[in-house]
């Protein structure tokens, strides 16, 4: 995947395909490449839009769950999107939950994979010492069931973020905000049809987190993927896409 990044005002995003809209929200260390298979597969029948969240840059956006949700709120309004499927991984799932609570009328389906919001054990507020690429390699590999998924390019990308003081400070602030922003008392108010796709071997948001979401959110459909960690759309993309496609087919008539 080598999609063109579109710049419009303060927003950067990738957009491909036409049809019902799928808005994809990446995680704290997420990149467009994390969703390459989702973009390629679903853009055949859907309008897939991936906003690049301004997590590490110097800007006026508050580095918090609420601040980032404000940004996504403004982006969806800017694009004039309605009745979207919100797909969020990790931090992106957390933001998707908050957005759905704010705008239930704009979200036709919610898809969470490895979402924070209830519990997350990750790089968080106890962040690696600067200059330790070995630590970063270990933590990135910890994200996946198969450590080979933690390629050198992926490790180098994360290392470039955590090895700059300003970016590290932003990451820590966002991670701490996510940890404080527990949604166990809120998600029961979500009436939107919700699909949970979880790695059975997720170390960051373990399977018990998926079970808790499934218990708390009234209208859920839970699927586990074996031999899979925190990012199913990267580690097991074919199975992930099959589960998601079957679910969306219940809600939308795909365009031939």
């Amino acid at each position: 995947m080598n999609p063109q990044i579109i710049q419009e005002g303060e927003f950067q995003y990738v957009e491909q395909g036409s049809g019902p809209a799928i808005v994809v929200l990446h995680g704290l260390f997420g990149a467009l490449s994390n969703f390459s298979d989702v973009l390629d597969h679903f853009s055949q029948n859907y309008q897939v839009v991936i906003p690049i969240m301004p997590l590490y840059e110097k800007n006026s956006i508050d580095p918090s769950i609420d601040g980032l949700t404000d940004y996504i709120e403004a982006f969806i309004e800017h694009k004039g999107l309605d009745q979207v499927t919100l797909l969020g991984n990790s931090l992106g799932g957390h933001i998707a939950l908050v957005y759905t609570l704010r705008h239930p009328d704009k979200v036709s389906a919610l898809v969470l994979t490895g979402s924070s919001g209830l519990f997350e054990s990750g790089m968080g507020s106890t962040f690696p010492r600067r200059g330790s690429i070995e630590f970063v390699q270990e933590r990135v590999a910890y994200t996946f069931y198969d450590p080979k998924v933690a390629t050198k390019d992926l490790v180098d990308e994360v290392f470039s973020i955590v090895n700059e003081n300003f970016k590290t400070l932003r990451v820590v602030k966002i991670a701490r905000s996510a940890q404080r922003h527990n949604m166990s008392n809120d998600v029961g108010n979500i009436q939107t049809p919700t699909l949970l796709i979880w790695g059975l071997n997720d170390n960051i948001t373990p399977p018990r987190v998926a079970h808790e979401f499934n218990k708390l959110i009234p209208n859920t459909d839970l699927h586990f993927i074996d031999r899979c960690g925190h990012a199913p759309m990267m580690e097991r993309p074919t199975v992930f896409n099959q589960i998601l496609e079957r679910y969306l087919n219940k809600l939308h008539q795909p365009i031939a």
Side-chain angles (χ1 to χ4, degrees):
M1 180 188 73
N2 189 25
Q4 179 184 0
I5 296 175
I6 301 167
Q7 175 86 49
E8 291 176 357
E10 65 176 324
F11 303 114
Q12 285 188 316
Y13 65 98
V14 165
E15 181 175 356
Q16 195 166 296
S18 60
I22 300 175
V23 177
V24 177
L25 303 181
H26 60 77
L28 187 56
F29 292 98
L32 293 176
S33 59
N34 294 13
F35 292 94
S36 59
D37 289 280
V38 169
L39 182 64
D40 290 343
H41 181 84
F42 285 96
S43 61
Q44 298 174 51
N45 294 306
Y46 294 87
Q47 175 190 9
V48 183
V49 185
I50 311 178
I52 301 172
M53 287 191 282
L55 302 179
Y56 324 117
E57 297 80 9
K58 293 182 179 180
N59 53 51
S60 60
I61 297 164
D62 184 43
S64 67
I65 294 296
D66 284 332
L68 291 168
T69 305
D70 290 344
Y71 178 85
I72 293 302
E73 194 173 52
F75 173 76
I76 290 176
E77 183 176 350
H78 168 77
K79 287 291 296 174
L81 299 173
D82 194 25
Q83 292 300 297
V84 303
T85 293
L86 272 186
L87 164 57
N89 172 244
S90 197
L91 174 74
H94 203 150
I95 294 165
L97 285 162
V98 178
Y99 181 90
T100 301
L101 283 165
R102 289 187 189 180
H103 301 283
D105 57 316
K106 287 186 172 292
V107 183
S108 63
L110 178 61
V111 182
L112 305 176
T113 180
S115 176
S116 61
L118 297 180
F119 171 83
E120 182 175 22
S121 173
M123 288 190 182
S125 55
T126 56
F127 218 72
R129 48 200 178 277
R130 292 182 72 244
S132 177
I133 195 165
E134 293 82 9
F135 186 95
V136 172
Q137 165 71 44
E138 176 188 324
R139 298 308 292 175
V140 172
Y142 184 72
T143 303
F144 305 102
Y145 172 78
D146 181 358
K148 293 178 183 176
V149 180
T151 61
K152 183 180 184 301
D153 286 346
L154 188 59
V155 172
D156 287 346
E157 184 176 348
V158 174
F159 183 72
S160 70
I161 294 167
V162 303
N163 209 39
E164 292 186 29
N165 282 335
F166 180 81
K167 290 182 178 181
T168 299
L169 182 60
R170 293 272 300 185
V171 166
V172 169
K173 285 181 177 179
I174 293 168
R176 287 177 176 169
S177 173
Q179 290 167 358
R180 290 192 301 264
H181 196 277
N182 187 281
M183 300 189 68
S184 57
N185 293 326
D186 303 315
V187 295
N189 295 317
I190 293 176
Q191 300 299 319
T192 302
T194 301
L195 174 63
L196 306 168
I197 308 178
W198 233 261
L200 196 58
N201 311 95
D202 188 341
N203 294 311
I204 311 298
T205 51
R208 63 181 176 84
V209 177
H211 283 297
E212 189 69 9
F213 274 123
N214 192 44
K215 182 177 76 173
L216 293 174
I217 301 175
N219 187 9
T220 54
D221 193 349
L222 171 60
H223 294 263
F224 285 107
I225 301 177
D226 197 9
R227 300 185 302 279
C228 183
H230 188 56
M233 70 287 174
M234 294 178 67
E235 195 162 15
R236 300 291 301 278
T238 300
V239 178
F240 181 91
N241 288 343
Q242 287 171 348
I243 294 170
L244 179 54
E245 185 164 46
R246 284 197 300 266
Y247 187 79
L248 292 180
N249 283 346
K250 299 177 185 176
L251 304 174
H252 304 295
Q253 182 63 44
I255 299 171

